[in-house]
Amino acid sequence: MKNIRTVGVVGAGTMGSALAQKFAQEGFKVILADREDKFVQKGLNGIKAMLNEGLEKKVFTQDQVDFFLENLHGTDNLSELKFCDIIIEAIFEDFNVKSELFKTLSELVPLDTILATNTSSFSVSELSKSVKNPERFLGLHYFYHAAKNRLVEIIPGENTSKGTLKLAHQFAILSGKDAIYTKDAYGFAVNRFFVPWLNEAVKLLQENVGTIEMIDSVCMRTLGIGMGPFALMNATGVPIALHAERTLEFFGPSYKVAQLLELQVEKKENWNIGDMNIVVDAETEMMIADRMLGCIFFVCSQILEEKVCSAIDLNKGAKIGLKWRKGPVDLMKQFGEVEIIRLVKSYCALDNEKLPVIKSSDWKMDYVTLEKEGNRAIITMNRPEDLNSLNEEVMVLLDEKFTDAENDSSIKTIFITGTGKAFVAGADIKFFVKNMKNHSLEKIVAFTSYGQRVFEKIDKSKKKVVVLMNGMALGGGLELALCADVILSVPKAVMAFPETGIGIYPGLGGTQRTIPRVGKGLAKYLILTGKMLTAKEADEIGLIDAVISIEDLFAIINGEKPVPPSQPKELEGKWKAYSELYSKNNFKQIISGDYSNGFIEKEEVSKLGKTMSYKAPIAMKIAEELVEQARGPQSELEKLTTIFSTSDALLGLTSIGKKVEYRGE
């Protein structure tokens, strides 16, 4: 499959410049083009200002900024784009101008160069009529601010090929984006419900239901978001909201642009937002909340009925692209079918709209996906907005997908990988905390016991199981990886057992499956210190089998390259010394300084002791005993109730990221 190395961006405005910056940061060679050099220079200067701001805030180093800028080239000559593997159009929203641009690009670039539009208003299929070989044309709709926002909507036109879609998805991953798929319909997925929500806020103001401050305040509380609709319009541009809503009027009367929004744009002013420290009376709060939720649920029910996108992609769009704490499908599940119908019926009555189909079976979200290609099965952890963390629902889905692949006689190799920044970033902490506070420890034991059975099924599989670690693997994520026959990791991945630092111990096999790979000494070192390993370090000690490029990861998944063979690693240098230290001593001896050691400098041992002194003592004791006894993963279940009954566990799990002092109780 074609490799994308050089990216063209046409349009050096806010969106185009942000995209060029992001692609350059991810290591692509980028050509930023516009019709006049003055626009190109303005775009490049904006990128430099953003990078310098990052430098001042220590987000980037000077070497990184220099590298990013080396990857970036500006031009007012479109012919320089002929060497690009993909070109993304990000010019102003004018259908004829975009069409002419794509006609010109079609004459300039090879027939296999992918051409993409970032339009938020026009039909991808209609635009594709301007393109030679429309099979290579699609929509890639990015979100503000594109250098930071991870969301991209992938929109196939009626002629877009499967190969183009696959390449676009790989490009999204390579460029640090989380992709969702939508049909070629006005507003696609996210703007289809988000923009009417903004418009509805203006309608409420227009009808004197509440003030700007009241409406923003209620929306922030209802959705758990940091900015209300009026503040958001001010941030992204009030005219943009008007333009986007106007393209949606096609869908019916409830989508009609609020007159007050048109007047605000005519005045060329932002909304005047006053003191947000206001008290909203209960009746007004309910009126605003019901109306705004009714709008969201009405549009989202239409989206699901029309199959514009899947429930999980709709939810991801809100959580990743809009930074909503809960996505619309999360909210629909929370409220339930009866209440959703009530709210949507009430909303439909305002404009005599037809009630969309509303059924909870449409709200199912595939947090774990399974694809089969030839003799390969690819299981993907698909919850990037929550770093693919494990909860009850995810564990059931993992079990179902793996069992399906395991029972398919045509499958020889099962790959397990993740989406987004993480492979799996451990178990869902909220689940533990909720059940500890509710004194329902039996639910924690049941979840962990079930998780162990799922992991054992993977561990004992007759098929070849290969983990392709695409990002961080913490706690339960690393424990899942250790069930595989082969673990391959991309260079940027990190991995660790952080449990003893948050008051608990690994309970899904971590104290046991680590031993065959690195020995008891290093298993204790990793679990008792919580050391965060880079992929390179994990490879050095044999915790993983090899570090591969992300391009090779795709090639292996696609069957274009074989899985590299596992090779035993010989411990050397500091790793051998750490193994000796932890094999000969327990954690108390190392912390106290009363240890046996002939390989490590005293100062280094002191640092290790200090690190462990901040961990939870009961968790440390149990974890060390489990490693030393090596009685198998089931042994970890014996002390679960004990550890989750401790004050240290509740303190640690409710203080993630904070410094705490454990009492050993």
Side-chain angles (χ1 to χ4, degrees), residues 409-613:
S409 60
S410 68
I411 298 298
K412 305 302 179 189
T413 305
I414 303 173
F415 295 97
I416 305 177
T417 190
T419 53
K421 295 185 288 187
F423 169 63
V424 173
D428 192 333
I429 299 299
K430 297 189 293 292
F431 168 80
F432 292 141
V433 172
K434 175 185 175 182
N435 287 297
M436 290 170 75
K437 288 184 174 179
N438 290 341
H439 305 289
S440 303
L441 299 188
E442 71 280 359
K443 291 184 179 179
I444 295 175
V445 174
F447 166 71
T448 311
S449 300
Y450 175 57
Q452 283 226 6
R453 293 195 297 276
V454 176
F455 282 20
E456 184 176 17
K457 185 184 296 184
I458 297 170
D459 189 9
K460 299 289 174 62
S461 172
K462 294 176 182 177
K463 309 287 173 74
K464 184 172 187 176
V465 179
V466 180
V467 157
L468 296 171
M469 201 178 282
N470 59 292
M472 71 172 77
L474 306 180
L478 184 50
E479 290 173 293
L480 171 58
L482 289 168
C483 297
D485 301 302
V486 180
I487 307 173
L488 306 175
S489 170
V490 298
K492 67 179 180 181
V494 293
M495 55 211 82
F497 290 115
E499 286 90 344
T500 56
I502 53 175
I504 55 176
Y505 62 83
L508 291 171
T511 66
Q512 307 299 300
R513 292 192 178 97
T514 314
I515 299 169
R517 281 188 166 266
V518 300
K520 283 186 179 181
L522 281 184
K524 284 171 59 177
Y525 163 74
L526 294 173
I527 293 166
L528 300 178
T529 65
K531 163 71 176 174
M532 186 76 77
L533 293 177
T534 64
K536 181 175 178 293
E537 290 172 324
D539 184 36
E540 288 171 355
I541 65 174
L543 189 65
I544 65 173
D545 295 290
V547 180
I548 59 172
S549 69
I550 196 162
E551 289 84 4
D552 280 349
L553 182 149
F554 291 136
I556 290 168
I557 280 184
N558 294 332
E560 296 161 4
K561 280 192 173 184
V563 175
S566 300
Q567 293 183 342
K569 307 282 171 44
E570 189 84 28
L571 285 181
E572 296 178 352
K574 67 175 183 179
W575 301 122
K576 188 174 182 181
Y578 287 158
S579 180
E580 287 283 335
L581 176 67
Y582 281 84
S583 294
K584 293 179 179 178
N585 302 280
N586 61 44
F587 75 92
K588 289 182 179 178
Q589 290 173 307
I590 297 172
I591 290 173
S592 68
D594 182 23
Y595 57 86
S596 169
N597 168 54
F599 296 97
I600 306 178
E601 293 290 334
K602 187 174 182 179
E603 185 179 342
E604 177 64 17
V605 179
S606 179
K607 286 181 182 177
L608 293 170
K610 188 174 182 180
T611 296
M612 291 188 293
S613 70

Side-chain angles (χ1 to χ4, degrees), residues 387-399:
L387 300 177
N388 299 323
S389 59
L390 301 169
N391 61 17
E392 293 169 294
E393 188 176 1
V394 172
M395 196 66 82
V396 168
L397 288 168
L398 175 61
D399 188 7

Side-chain angles (χ1 to χ4, degrees), residues 231-259:
L232 283 164
M233 282 187 273
N234 284 353
T236 58
V238 181
I240 291 173
L242 172 63
H243 174 77
E245 183 66 18
R246 198 161 267 156
T247 66
L248 299 176
E249 288 186 320
F250 160 86
F251 289 111
S254 64
Y255 290 84
K256 185 172 175 57
V257 172
Q259 188 178 6

